[in-house]
Every structure is written in structure tokens, then in C-alpha cells.
Amino acid sequence: MERLLTRCRALPALATCSRQLSGYVPCRFHHCAPRRGQRLLLSRVFQPQNLREDRVLSLQDKSDDLTCKSQRLMLQVGLIYPASPGCYHLLPYTVRAMEKLVRVIDQEMQAIGGQKVNMPSLNPAELWQATNRWDLMGKELLRLRDRHGKEYCLGPTHEEAITALIASQKKLSYKQLPFLLYQVTRKFRDEPRPRFGLLRGREFYMKDMYTFDSSPEAAQQTYSLVCDAYCSLFNRLGLPFVKVQADVGTIGGTVSHEFQLPVDIGEDGLAICPHCSFSANMETLDLSQMNCPACQGPLTKTKGIEVGHTFYLGTKYSSIFNAQFTNVYGKPTLAEMGCYGLGVTRILAAAIEVLSTEDCVRWPSLLAPYQACLIPPKKGSKEEAASELIGQLYDHITEAVPQLHGEVLLDDRTHLTIGNRLKDANKFGYPFVIITGKRALEDPAHFEVWCQNTGEVVFLTKDGVMDLLTQVQTV
């Protein structure tokens, strides 16, 4: 038992499992937790009809339309279902994972003083016209008119809306600043060619934070604070990321960084120096000069998926909307702003792209929809005599390990063999799969335990299983 825990902690390549078994104790988060005595049954989980309980998942279809691993796996396993080009239904497993991700984001944002708000998706045209982004955004901005002929857009971002909100508060004092206001909402962008599933769609979830400071120096400190929080977030998720210098694009400002997950299907070209800390999006570099500007060493080229973006805006928006506060001398002063985005649904898909095998989904351990799946014996098999043991184990786990209440799923499809259900469990990527096999008939009974993130298989008694699972951390 101790050997398994030691190996999980010691192997750097198995960061997601070792981080899950580490001493970090975030707040607990439960979704649709069952009442005491109830069990979460796999057969009751909603899935598309072609993935119902009377079938074993098949991943043979590798259509040319499924242009990346995460898109193919999420469709084939039943995590998402297409609604229209660039839009997907998020199904129960994905919603559970996303809500856990939002919880981790909330923890990191609120740890630095973030306050959560929720702004309308419908933005009046005049706000965007004031910043000239109504025209600058072009066809990517989804526009509509109401019955009175008034024009709106479905917000892809909310710089205008939040700055107008702050400007409406006429008696702000420097003593109240900084404000770090953020939301997690649906965003809309009329992509000309949606592709890669949740990586580039027309409708998506994003965390967007907007900060208001009393001076450029204070705003730069806030900028560094948020960037550090982003680093903490990705480290907690066990995702290999790189922070790169970036272009400000249509949002504007003077300083910008992207948080990228290096992967071959990434749409952004990155230049990284292996000798110093310099890294940048290729868009920001003179392509005729491919030496590192910091140390003059050669740059390594790679591709990445952008999962976060930060901007120091200065007074670009506060000057347009007259978002002011009263400074220490009693004079009105424009607020210094920053804005900071995280692609919530994109992080989920990018994590699956980076961590998964070609045929099996793998999650950051904190985000796994369920932490454990229990597989009882096949009906009519020799091992069926041990069926009660797995039910007793399920009840004991959910009662004795509080953080796993609502996190354990029972695969009750006992008309299928253990092997077929294990294949499904492997494809779904539960961090732990616990099987009642032949050794459950021994005295004492031993359960077959698969640690999906390490590939290890061990046989543990009931007490051994409990010792292992009590160390699992959730959000």
C-alpha cells in the first residue's frame, strides 16, 4: 500500500495523480450528491442514445471531420454532443468537470481579492460604438436588433460594460481601490470556421476579470498578482503551460501575455528560449531575427493552445467612459485598468488534448467528473457471490470519506462482463477503478484497484482501499 502511494508521489511524469494525493486541501465541492443511502448508478447517467448502457463504447470511428484528439474523444465518449456548427451540448460528465474547474478558478481569484459579478450577455451597441470596437470587431461580433430597432451584440468580452458600470458610481474613493471584478459566463463569437470542438467554437464559457487601480504602479502590481494566480491555477491542475509575451489585438493596452499549453495542434506559433526565461508569441517577433532578444541565443519554435490572456489597459477604456475616482488630494482621476481572460471550456478540451491517450480520456485529477468507479461482478458469474461486498464498500467510502460523497459511481451494468466495463472506465478516465474480481472471494477479500493516471494495478483489502481513497483531494 505504502509503495503505491510513494510511487504516485515520486513520479514527476504522473503529476496529476501525485498532485491529487498531495497535502493540498482546497475547499470541497459537490455536484448532485446523493442523499444518504442512495448510490450513483452509471446506468442512470444521461448519454446520447448511441452510448446507452446496453453497448460498450466503440472508438473505431475516426472521421476526417474530427480534426483533433480532444474533439474526437469528447464526442465518442459522450462528453459533448453537436448542436450546430461551433456549438455543443455539454453533457453531465462535462458539466461536472466544468463546475469543478470554475470552483478552482473561484478559489484562485478570490484568494487575491477578486469579487464575482454577472453581467448581461446583451450589450447595447452604443457602448461598443464609443470604443470603436463595433466596427473594429467586424463580422466576429454577433449583432441583433430588438423589436424597437435597438442594436445589441452578444458580448465576446465585457470591457465596455464593466467600465460603464464603474463610471456610473460617481463617488468612488482611492481608499476603495483596487477593484478586481470577475465573472464566469457564456461568450459568443461568430467564428468564420469553427473547428477543434470546444477549442474554437462560436459559444463558449470564459472567466473574464477587470481590475481598477489608483495608479500605474498599483495596476502593474495587480497585473503581476493575477498572472501569479493563473500560474497557481495551472500548476494545481497539473497542466504544462508557458507564459508568453503577446500582442494586444483588438482589446488594446500596452502589455499583454498569453498562457499557452504546448501541443502540436495548437494554432499559435511560439518562440521559446531554452537558455533563459524569454518566450513569446511569434506574432510579436521580427521573423527575420530569430535570436532571443534577451540573451541572443537561438529560439525554439513550437505550437500552443491559448488558454489564458492578460492585458494591462491603462486608461484606454476609463478615459472613454470617464471611469473616475477621487484621489488622495481630492481630485478626480481616471482609473488604471487591466483585463484577464481564462477560456473555461477551452481549458477542459485542451487538458484532454494534452493528457489523454489516443483512445482514452485523461483528466486533471481535480477535474475528473467522478473520482472513482466501482465495478461489481457480472450477473451469473462465479464472482457474483461477492456482489454485496462492492455495495458495502461503496457505502463505506461515501460515509467515511467526506470529500468523496457524490464522487463515486457504481457501474451497475452487470449484464456486461467486468472486462467490457473496465474498458469503458478506462475510456472515461476515472482516476480510480475498483473491481470485484476473483480475489474478492478470498478471506479477506481483495479488490483490484486501477490508478488510471499512473497505470498501476494493485490488490487491496477493504482497509487498504480506504487508506488509499482517504488521501484523494477534491474541490
Side-chain angles (χ1 to χ4, degrees):
M1 177 64 203
E2 183 59 33
R3 180 181 64 83
L4 171 62
L5 299 181
T6 301
R7 289 186 63 184
C8 282
R9 296 189 185 104
L11 294 173
L14 306 175
T16 54
C17 187
S18 61
R19 187 168 286 102
Q20 185 191 23
L21 298 176
S22 72
Y24 191 92
V25 185
C27 297
R28 293 172 185 138
F29 175 67
H30 304 309
H31 174 71
C32 294
R35 294 190 297 272
R36 183 176 296 276
Q38 288 186 326
R39 296 170 181 170
L40 291 173
L41 304 179
L42 190 148
S43 66
R44 300 300 302 274
V45 176
F46 173 77
Q47 288 185 293
Q49 203 61 37
N50 63 317
L51 298 175
R52 287 309 301 156
E53 54 89 19
D54 58 339
R55 298 182 53 164
V56 178
L57 296 180
S58 172
L59 300 184
Q60 299 304 312
D61 178 22
K62 298 188 178 181
S63 167
D64 292 338
D65 294 335
L66 307 181
T67 50
C68 69
K69 178 171 58 179
S70 60
Q71 180 187 17
R72 175 170 54 80
L73 286 174
M74 294 184 83
L75 285 168
Q76 292 171 333
V77 173
L79 302 179
I80 59 176
Y81 195 80
S84 62
C87 297
Y88 291 88
H89 300 286
L90 306 184
L91 300 183
Y93 278 75
T94 303
V95 171
R96 285 180 63 92
M98 186 175 73
E99 289 182 344
K100 291 180 179 184
L101 175 55
V102 170
R103 182 59 179 156
V104 180
I105 291 171
D106 284 340
Q107 291 172 359
E108 296 295 340
M109 295 301 98
Q110 292 170 20
I112 61 173
Q115 301 179 66
K116 201 168 188 178
V117 298
N118 197 307
M119 291 177 278
S121 295
L122 278 177
N123 287 199
E126 55 264 28
L127 291 181
W128 286 70
Q129 289 165 347
T131 60
N132 199 38
R133 292 211 298 169
W134 185 260
D135 297 322
L136 190 61
M137 288 288 291
K139 293 182 178 180
E140 287 192 0
L141 199 62
L142 278 164
R143 308 158 203 257
L144 64 154
R145 291 178 184 268
D146 68 10
R147 66 181 66 192
H148 306 292
K150 185 176 176 61
E151 288 188 294
Y152 294 88
C153 68
L154 290 173
T157 182
H158 278 73
E159 285 79 12
E160 286 83 358
I162 192 69
T163 313
L165 173 63
I166 294 298
S168 69
Q169 311 303 302
K170 299 299 184 183
K171 295 183 179 180
L172 290 179
S173 166
Y174 73 96
K175 296 179 181 180
Q176 296 173 265
L177 302 181
F179 285 139
L180 290 78
L181 305 177
Y182 78 99
Q183 61 177 354
V184 179
T185 57
R186 290 178 185 265
K187 297 291 190 293
F188 306 87
R189 184 176 293 125
D190 194 357
E191 289 284 352
R193 193 162 74 92
R195 56 178 180 162
F196 296 151
L198 298 188
L199 292 178
R200 181 167 293 282
R202 286 185 169 140
E203 183 176 349
F204 50 93
Y205 279 88
M206 188 171 82
K207 187 285 301 178
D208 44 323
M209 172 178 272
Y210 307 92
T211 62
F212 299 83
D213 277 278
S214 59
S215 68
E217 295 76 19
Q220 290 284 2
Q221 291 178 356
T222 298
Y223 186 90
S224 297
L225 192 67
V226 180
C227 286
D228 288 345
Y230 278 21
C231 293
S232 175
L233 170 73
F234 292 118
N235 283 329
R236 285 180 65 186
L237 297 180
L239 296 176
F241 73 96
V242 59
K243 175 186 172 186
V244 303
Q245 296 178 13
D247 184 48
V248 298
T250 59
I251 289 179
T254 56
V255 178
S256 176
H257 289 88
E258 293 169 346
F259 290 77
Q260 297 268 356
L261 299 189
V263 63
D264 289 341
I265 64 118
E267 297 185 280
D268 292 319
L270 310 178
I272 300 172
C273 180
H275 304 292
C276 68
S277 60
F278 177 85
S279 56
N281 191 306
M282 298 283 286
E283 295 176 346
T284 67
L285 299 177
D286 179 358
L287 297 182
S288 65
Q289 177 64 31
M290 279 308 295
N291 286 335
C292 175
C295 70
Q296 301 306 311
L299 291 170
T300 300
K301 297 180 183 179
T302 188
K303 292 182 178 181
I305 299 172
E306 178 193 333
V307 289
H309 207 152
T310 61
F311 301 83
Y312 171 51
L313 301 174
T315 60
K316 172 180 169 63
Y317 293 89
S318 57
S319 61
I320 295 172
F321 293 100
N322 203 28
Q324 296 182 330
F325 66 96
T326 301
N327 67 16
V328 67
Y329 303 107
K331 295 183 178 180
T333 305
L334 292 173
E336 294 280 334
M337 291 179 58
C339 67
Y340 311 85
L342 284 172
V344 176
T345 40
R346 182 178 283 190
I347 289 173
L348 285 181
I352 289 173
E353 187 71 37
V354 170
L355 300 177
S356 300
T357 68
E358 283 300 316
D359 294 324
C360 301
V361 172
R362 290 294 177 265
W363 303 90
S365 293
L366 285 177
L367 306 187
Y370 296 94
Q371 289 295 325
C373 178
L374 274 57
I375 300 179
K378 184 179 187 297
K379 187 175 182 179
S381 67
K382 294 180 181 179
E383 294 80 17
E384 188 178 12
S387 293
E388 289 187 8
L389 294 178
I390 198 75
Q392 293 169 2
L393 178 63
Y394 182 103
D395 295 338
H396 193 50
I397 293 171
T398 55
E399 291 175 6
V401 188
Q403 71 267 30
L404 293 186
H405 184 63
E407 291 288 336
V408 182
L409 195 63
L410 184 67
D411 190 341
D412 58 326
R413 302 173 301 164
T414 54
H415 60 285
L416 296 176
T417 66
I418 285 178
N420 281 334
R421 283 176 286 162
L422 177 60
K423 289 179 182 178
D424 277 4
N426 192 35
K427 291 164 187 171
F428 275 111
Y430 310 104
F432 298 97
V433 180
I434 302 169
I435 300 170
T436 312
K438 294 180 180 179
R439 293 194 60 183
L441 299 174
E442 297 178 358
D443 187 16
H446 282 71
F447 299 93
E448 186 177 344
V449 181
W450 290 63
C451 180
Q452 300 278 42
N453 290 332
T454 68
E456 289 190 273
V457 182
V458 293
F459 289 88
L460 301 175
T461 63
K462 176 182 176 181
D463 289 343
V465 172
M466 297 303 297
D467 289 342
L468 177 65
L469 296 184
T470 53
Q471 301 190 49
V472 173
Q473 301 300 326
T474 59
V475 290

